[in-house]
Amino acid sequence: MSIDIALNEAAGAVNRLLTDLLPPVDGAENRVLDAMRYATMGGGKRIRPYLLINSAALFDVYSEYALRAAAAIEMLHCYSLVHDDLPAMDNSDLRRGRPTAHKAFDEATAILAGDGLLTMAFEILADPKTHPDGQVRADLVLALAKAGGAAGMVGGQMIDLWAEKNELDIGAITRLQRLKTGAIIAFSCEAGGILGHASMAQRHALISYAHDLGLAFQIVDDLLDAEGDAETTGKPVGADAKAGKATFVSILGIDRARDQAKLLGQQANSHLDMFGAKADPLRWMTEFVLTRKN
Amino acid sequence: MSIDIALNEAAGAVNRLLTDLLPPVDGAENRVLDAMRYATMGGGKRIRPYLLINSAALFDVYSEYALRAAAAIEMLHCYSLVHDDLPAMDNSDLRRGRPTAHKAFDEATAILAGDGLLTMAFEILADPKTHPDGQVRADLVLALAKAGGAAGMVGGQMIDLWAEKNELDIGAITRLQRLKTGAIIAFSCEAGGILGHASMAQRHALISYAHDLGLAFQIVDDLLDAEGDAETTGKPVGADAKAGKATFVSILGIDRARDQAKLLGQQANSHLDMFGAKADPLRWMTEFVLTRKN
């Protein structure tokens, strides 16, 4: 099986579940549910759900549980996109070729939709239906809260805003990436281990894989911004350089950044050795991250 | 003991804990923690923590656990105030006599601080330190997510925005109140029962008390807006009428609204009969809600 087929399959399953989890309601509050549906159903690659599902599969977790946790992590990811796109933040009008949530609805509804998705991510994780035998693993909820909060994604976004007016060095950029996007990618992989009652050594291996993968992902992102063409990437290129923003590419240069990404990819895969062939879908993801064109 | 002393004592304890839970960090992300501290330490009455602490006391829950859950519910409450105050929402410059978070910091930081507080509320509830014997009650986390989400507070705020341009009848206003503020007040009382391993009958009694108390609270709020003076209430009076907003007072009239609040207060207390004198602090709160002047 190729990564494209596997990724499509996971995306299809998580999309169906997201639709089920966000049914229309009879009341004026349906508008916020509309916006939550809009924000989650915009056709993302569903990389985080893929990571969660395939980490859980290492431990033979039934897919119905992994899928629910995957839907929760995608809700959290989509909330962060909705809030990051707001006029007060990145002020983006387009996301994946469609109007952003505050453009398709309005700013107040977009703020509430983000709040609603963040809250619902916790609702799903704390639901016995998400856990084998209905035994809720509270450490799953705790891990998501840590990854999403001020010491994770929210803190990372704060640093990112600060970086617009301040010079970052390579250490600071690495830390920014680790908080802003790395923590949630690490959670996606760790969550499979938690649901699967993995040993601490196995959980740490998954987290290490995720850290290297997430950093490689960001470096490739910076490379695409520096050299990709707008038609393939689906977004304006050179935006970072124009904004005078320090990136891995602006500091390392294109060649060293590319070498670094490759090295991180090898390192990521080395953490999967203990899982044997069962971890192939995670190895495919490494390849996908390194070779993606958008 | 009077309600004033009891309320002050609970507020002091929860304020100390909130300060401990939000320590400064060494990094650019400290700005969002600053804003989270600012938003939580603005001197609110801490009614929700009081309800949680005194509901838990019915079941002899050690105060250290109840206090942590109380801090979590106050974080959730403060996040909702920060987001509701934003320019795209109620556009308020002042809150409790101080600049609102987006005025004291900036809009992006305020959005992130709200997100951070919401996330941290779940982090605290899912932490073994919040639960007797470290046994996390996942139903506590689930109950908060339901009360805070699209079927609770977030949904209520959506209806409130919709109501600015639409006429509500008494049924719709009651439903708006139940979602927007009632769900979290009900959670505050139910949470004490959950931590205390209360029976379902006891939990339902607490929820019924909270529903009546919350509705009475809102009616008194509308009465203060209609008849209070700005100096005592600390906010402009007549704001609802000026905005052409339907309230309990605009529909029922002042006399019937006052009768209704009194009736709800009696009804609230009637649900506490099964707890005997132990529930006196909750009865004091009913009195406080009915007689408050701000």
Side-chain angles (χ1 to χ4, degrees):
Chain A
M1 192 150 67
S2 79
I3 177 77
D4 292 320
I5 295 173
L7 198 48
N8 257 328
E9 203 174 274
V14 84
N15 288 350
R16 280 188 295 278
L17 180 58
L18 284 167
T19 307
D20 286 350
L21 290 171
L22 293 162
V25 297
D26 189 23
E29 74 273 26
N30 189 50
R31 183 173 169 82
V32 74
L33 284 158
D34 265 341
M36 288 161 74
R37 276 188 290 274
Y38 181 86
T40 46
M41 300 306 292
K45 291 193 267 299
R46 311 303 192 195
I47 290 175
R48 290 154 196 79
Y50 178 92
L51 289 172
L52 198 155
I53 291 165
N54 286 295
S55 298
L58 294 175
F59 311 99
D60 302 314
V61 174
Y62 279 123
S63 64
E64 92 187 74
Y65 307 117
L67 252 180
R68 286 181 59 92
I73 190 65
E74 192 64 14
M75 284 182 184
L76 190 99
H77 175 57
C78 292
Y79 122 75
S80 77
L81 299 181
V82 170
H83 280 192
D84 284 6
D85 284 338
L86 286 168
M89 302 272 223
D90 297 347
N91 194 22
S92 306
D93 292 352
L94 287 175
R95 156 89 48 200
R96 297 170 187 155
R98 294 188 319 162
T100 44
H102 65 275
K103 283 286 166 184
F105 292 82
D106 56 66
E107 220 180 307
T109 305
I111 295 167
L112 283 176
D115 294 344
L117 286 171
L118 170 54
T119 307
M120 197 163 180
F122 287 106
E123 182 180 337
I124 294 170
L125 282 194
D127 191 321
K129 287 205 281 285
T130 306
H131 299 262
D133 305 318
Q135 296 298 310
V136 179
R137 292 288 305 255
D139 48 351
L140 189 69
V141 184
L142 189 59
L144 184 70
K146 282 180 193 288
M153 194 172 64
V154 161
Q157 176 66 2
M158 188 77 252
I159 302 175
D160 206 15
L161 290 168
W162 180 84
E164 286 172 8
K165 288 168 195 156
N166 296 273
E167 194 83 7
L168 298 189
D169 62 17
I170 192 78
I173 291 183
T174 306
R175 182 160 182 275
L176 162 58
Q177 185 281 325
R178 188 158 48 81
L179 270 71
K180 187 174 173 178
T181 57
I184 294 297
I185 291 177
F187 169 83
S188 303
C189 293
E190 189 185 9
I194 295 175
L195 285 172
H197 295 270
S199 68
M200 284 316 282
Q202 290 169 321
R203 274 168 73 164
H204 282 142
L206 283 169
I207 292 170
S208 302
Y209 158 79
H211 277 155
D212 292 334
L213 182 79
L215 194 50
F217 188 94
Q218 186 58 51
I219 294 174
V220 171
D221 224 47
D222 292 351
L223 282 165
L224 287 172
D225 184 73
E227 349 174 78
D229 68 288
E231 209 161 313
T232 320
T233 61
K235 50 185 178 184
V237 296
D240 292 338
K242 218 177 285 170
K245 217 168 141 185
T247 68
F248 288 105
V249 172
S250 76
I251 293 184
L252 298 176
I254 285 187
D255 289 344
R256 279 182 62 207
R258 199 178 287 121
D259 287 349
Q260 183 70 18
K262 247 184 247 168
L263 192 71
L264 283 163
Q266 286 163 7
Q267 207 171 290
N269 283 351
S270 73
H271 296 297
L272 301 174
D273 288 349
M274 68 168 76
F275 301 114
K278 250 185 160 174
D280 278 347
L282 297 178
R283 294 186 187 99
W284 301 339
M285 178 51 78
T286 308
E287 182 70 15
F288 176 81
V289 159
L290 292 176
T291 56
R292 73 199 176 93
K293 298 284 173 241
N294 62 47
Chain B
M1 190 151 68
S2 79
I3 177 78
D4 292 320
I5 296 173
L7 198 49
N8 257 329
E9 204 174 274
V14 83
N15 288 350
R16 281 189 294 278
L17 181 57
L18 283 168
T19 306
D20 286 349
L21 290 171
L22 292 163
V25 296
D26 188 24
E29 74 273 27
N30 189 49
R31 183 172 169 83
V32 74
L33 283 159
D34 265 341
M36 288 162 73
R37 276 188 290 275
Y38 181 87
T40 47
M41 299 307 291
K45 292 193 266 302
R46 313 299 193 197
I47 290 175
R48 291 156 196 79
Y50 179 92
L51 290 171
L52 198 155
I53 291 164
N54 286 294
S55 298
L58 295 176
F59 310 100
D60 302 314
V61 174
Y62 280 123
S63 64
E64 91 187 74
Y65 307 117
L67 253 180
R68 285 182 58 92
I73 190 67
E74 192 64 13
M75 283 182 184
L76 190 96
H77 176 57
C78 292
Y79 122 74
S80 78
L81 300 181
V82 170
H83 280 191
D84 285 6
D85 284 339
L86 286 168
M89 302 273 222
D90 296 347
N91 195 21
S92 305
D93 292 352
L94 287 174
R95 158 88 48 199
R96 297 167 186 158
R98 293 189 318 162
T100 43
H102 64 275
K103 283 285 165 186
F105 292 82
D106 55 65
E107 221 180 306
T109 305
I111 295 168
L112 283 177
D115 294 345
L117 287 170
L118 170 55
T119 306
M120 197 163 180
F122 287 106
E123 182 179 338
I124 294 169
L125 282 194
D127 192 321
K129 288 204 281 287
T130 306
H131 299 262
D133 307 316
Q135 296 297 311
V136 180
R137 292 287 305 254
D139 47 352
L140 189 69
V141 184
L142 189 59
L144 184 70
K146 281 181 192 289
M153 195 171 65
V154 161
Q157 177 66 1
M158 189 76 252
I159 302 175
D160 206 14
L161 291 168
W162 180 84
E164 286 173 7
K165 288 170 194 157
N166 296 273
E167 194 82 9
L168 297 190
D169 62 18
I170 191 79
I173 291 182
T174 306
R175 182 159 182 276
L176 162 58
Q177 184 282 326
R178 188 158 48 80
L179 270 71
K180 187 175 174 181
T181 57
I184 294 297
I185 291 177
F187 169 83
S188 303
C189 295
E190 190 186 10
I194 295 175
L195 285 172
H197 294 271
S199 68
M200 284 315 283
Q202 290 169 322
R203 274 169 72 165
H204 281 142
L206 283 169
I207 292 169
S208 301
Y209 159 79
H211 277 155
D212 292 335
L213 182 80
L215 193 51
F217 187 94
Q218 185 59 50
I219 294 174
V220 172
D221 224 49
D222 292 350
L223 282 164
L224 288 171
D225 184 74
E227 341 177 84
D229 68 285
E231 210 162 311
T232 320
T233 60
K235 50 186 175 184
V237 295
D240 292 339
K242 218 178 286 171
K245 217 169 140 183
T247 69
F248 287 106
V249 173
S250 75
I251 293 184
L252 297 174
I254 285 186
D255 290 344
R256 280 181 61 207
R258 199 179 286 120
D259 288 350
Q260 183 69 20
K262 248 184 246 167
L263 192 71
L264 283 163
Q266 287 162 9
Q267 207 173 289
N269 284 351
S270 74
H271 296 298
L272 301 174
D273 288 349
M274 67 168 78
F275 302 114
K278 250 186 161 173
D280 278 347
L282 297 178
R283 293 185 188 96
W284 301 339
M285 177 51 78
T286 309
E287 182 69 14
F288 176 81
V289 159
L290 291 176
T291 57
R292 72 199 176 93
K293 298 285 175 235
N294 61 48

